[in-house]
């Protein structure tokens, strides 16, 4: 969930209620951008983030870097899943080849 990603990035705290956030500017900016999920955040463009009204330039940069980090995390996960799938397919193919070899009747 988006709240967990914000927390892990250090942009919010785990204290309940928006008034306890480290900096409520990030959740507010994301709401302003209609980004309610991590997938929404990944789809944001730099120009969209730069037009958010309220946060300082430094905060808009942090928000953009957060968006980029979420994209990179997805790309890394996809790459790792692909590597795992390829390794599993190769292993299955090796098992099939071994099973299809003729058995010496001796």
């Amino acid at each position: 969930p988006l709240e967990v990603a914000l927390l892990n990035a250090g942009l919010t705290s785990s204290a309940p209620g928006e008034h306890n956030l480290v900096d409520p500017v990030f959740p507010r900016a994301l709401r302003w951008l209609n980004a309610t999920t991590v997938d929404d955040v990944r789809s944001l463009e730099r120009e969209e983030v730069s037009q958010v009204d309220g946060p300082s330039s430094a905060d808009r940069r942090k928000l953009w870097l957060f968006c980029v980090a979420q994209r990179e995390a997805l790309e890394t996960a996809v790459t790792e899943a692909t590597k795992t799938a390829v390794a599993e397919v190769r292993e299955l193919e090796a098992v099939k080849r071994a099973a299809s070899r003729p058995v010496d009747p001796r």
Side-chain angles (χ1 to χ4, degrees):
L2 182 55
E3 296 80 21
V4 173
L6 285 166
L7 179 64
N8 290 342
L11 300 179
T12 60
S13 77
S14 58
E18 189 169 303
H19 64 283
N20 290 324
L21 296 174
V22 171
D23 194 343
V25 71
F26 299 106
R28 287 181 187 157
L30 291 172
R31 279 196 304 272
W32 189 83
L33 291 164
N34 293 319
T36 58
T37 66
V38 174
D39 284 337
D40 293 341
V41 168
R42 289 179 185 132
S43 70
L44 290 173
E45 296 296 329
R46 188 176 195 146
E47 294 76 32
E48 294 173 292
V49 173
S50 70
Q51 294 177 8
V52 174
D53 190 28
S56 67
S57 177
D59 284 342
R60 284 193 300 272
R61 178 162 173 69
K62 284 182 194 175
L63 184 59
W64 172 244
L65 293 175
F66 172 71
C67 296
V68 170
Q70 296 309 305
R71 289 180 186 175
E72 290 173 352
L74 176 64
E75 290 171 5
T76 299
V78 168
T79 300
E80 290 303 314
T82 301
K83 286 179 184 177
T84 300
V86 167
E88 288 173 357
V89 167
R90 287 184 178 152
E91 186 178 321
L92 289 172
E93 287 175 347
V95 169
K96 279 183 175 178
R97 278 193 305 274
S100 67
R101 289 189 186 124
V103 177
D104 188 2
R106 291 187 257 173

